[in-house]
Amino acid sequence: MTECLTNPLHPESHILKFSVIRVPFFLEGDYPEHLSHVETNRQRLIKKWGGEIGWERQKRSHDLKGRGRKAGIPHFNLDRLTSNTMASHRLIQHVGKRYGLGVSEALYDVLNVYYFVDGHALNDRPRLAKVSSEALTRAMTKDGSNKSNNPIMTEEEILKFLEGSEGRKEINKARDMLHQLGIHSIPQFIIEGNTLVNGAAEWDTFVECFRAIEERGKVAGGPIFADILGIEKELIMEGSHSLDSMAAA
């Protein structure tokens, strides 16, 4: 996205924006929701790959550290606490619908560090509410960030939301759609609603897709998960990433 935003093909005629919708995916969907965490990620992966030897083999073949560095995460905390992620998925979707996709992306970035680097459980709801409240305050006190004019959720309001069930139906519908599409691993990217790109692809693969859209001058399809997740068209048209949002970050 950065390459296309900073070096547009037709700056005189097209103003580029990207709209990113984070589709909820559950690595361990059977983890109980009442537990703040279940095990460390190291324990989870050793069990998944049949022991230490299998896990070491997977690390070498997938180059997880290298992919993390390319994504802007220089250090993965292998002993991060794993948990059910229903509540955190619900929160990301709620924030996007209430404040806009740009704000939910800002929160998503903070939670990436919270989990992958700092190692905190995504179902530690009191801690998650505190961190999310601080992140929303930072994101929405920038000039023009709170376009919705909705009041910023307090830590107490976020915790109450996390303890509730709002948005669960939409999350479950998205899970069903992922299953129908045959998507059983992440990261995966769906561009224009019809082009599936594996997350292991190099950056130039994405630029090629984006440049084709830019040259065409319009998006051929639409986000197939927008209706499922209840995201209004106005929010999608507003976008999540633009040259202005990059400058404000």
Side-chain angles (χ1 to χ4, degrees):
M1 289 188 291
T2 301
E3 171 64 23
C4 295
L5 289 171
T6 55
N7 298 290
L9 295 178
H10 307 291
E12 71 287 346
S13 58
H14 294 137
I15 299 176
L16 296 181
K17 289 183 180 180
F18 288 84
S19 295
V20 176
I21 296 176
R22 299 287 177 175
V23 180
F25 185 90
F26 292 77
L27 284 174
E28 299 292 346
D30 294 331
Y31 277 168
E33 291 188 44
H34 69 281
L35 296 179
S36 63
H37 71 275
V38 177
E39 58 191 342
T40 69
N41 194 56
R42 186 192 303 269
Q43 292 168 332
R44 180 184 76 85
L45 291 172
I46 288 174
K47 286 194 300 185
K48 177 178 180 180
W49 299 111
E52 294 275 2
I53 295 176
W55 165 228
E56 289 298 328
R57 186 184 305 117
Q58 287 299 318
K59 283 197 293 184
R60 288 193 299 271
S61 64
H62 285 77
D63 187 26
L64 297 181
K65 289 184 178 180
R67 288 163 59 184
R69 284 191 291 269
K70 289 181 180 179
I73 305 175
H75 168 69
F76 280 103
N77 187 333
L78 185 55
D79 292 305
R80 58 188 180 269
L81 300 178
T82 60
S83 63
N84 187 286
T85 52
M86 173 62 82
S88 59
H89 285 316
R90 288 175 41 245
L91 178 62
I92 289 291
Q93 297 301 322
H94 179 73
V95 166
K97 287 184 278 190
R98 181 166 177 166
Y99 303 115
L101 298 178
V103 177
S104 62
E105 280 294 284
L107 176 58
Y108 193 89
D109 289 343
V110 169
L111 295 187
N112 268 341
V113 175
Y114 167 93
Y115 175 62
F116 287 109
V117 179
D118 297 336
H120 302 306
L122 288 166
N123 205 36
D124 182 346
R125 297 175 188 178
R127 187 191 296 269
L128 180 61
K130 183 177 187 300
V131 170
S132 298
S133 174
E134 294 170 352
L136 286 180
T137 299
R138 287 194 301 270
M140 297 178 63
T141 50
K142 295 177 182 177
D143 292 341
S145 294
N146 190 4
K147 298 177 182 178
S148 68
N149 293 319
N150 287 322
I152 302 173
M153 294 176 74
T154 66
E155 181 179 337
E156 292 74 18
E157 289 172 331
I158 295 174
L159 181 57
K160 183 178 180 180
F161 176 86
L162 292 171
E163 298 288 0
S165 60
E166 182 180 343
R168 176 183 292 272
K169 179 175 67 175
E170 291 85 350
I171 299 295
N172 285 331
K173 285 182 178 179
R175 292 175 73 178
D176 291 342
M177 176 58 76
L178 287 172
H179 181 74
Q180 292 176 34
L181 293 172
I183 296 176
H184 304 296
S185 63
I186 55 172
Q188 304 279 348
F189 298 86
I190 303 175
I191 302 173
E192 292 189 289
N194 53 43
T195 301
L196 182 65
V197 180
N198 189 284
E202 294 294 333
W203 66 273
D204 55 351
T205 300
F206 294 91
V207 171
E208 183 179 346
C209 291
F210 298 151
R211 290 301 194 197
I213 299 170
E214 189 179 1
E215 195 63 66
R216 191 191 313 137
K218 63 180 180 179
V219 177
I224 59 177
F225 282 90
D227 289 342
I228 293 171
L229 292 168
I231 302 172
E232 296 180 355
K233 183 178 179 180
E234 290 76 12
L235 291 176
I236 297 168
M237 297 301 295
E238 182 182 293
S240 59
H241 297 78
S242 66
L243 199 57
D244 288 341
S245 67
M246 285 176 55

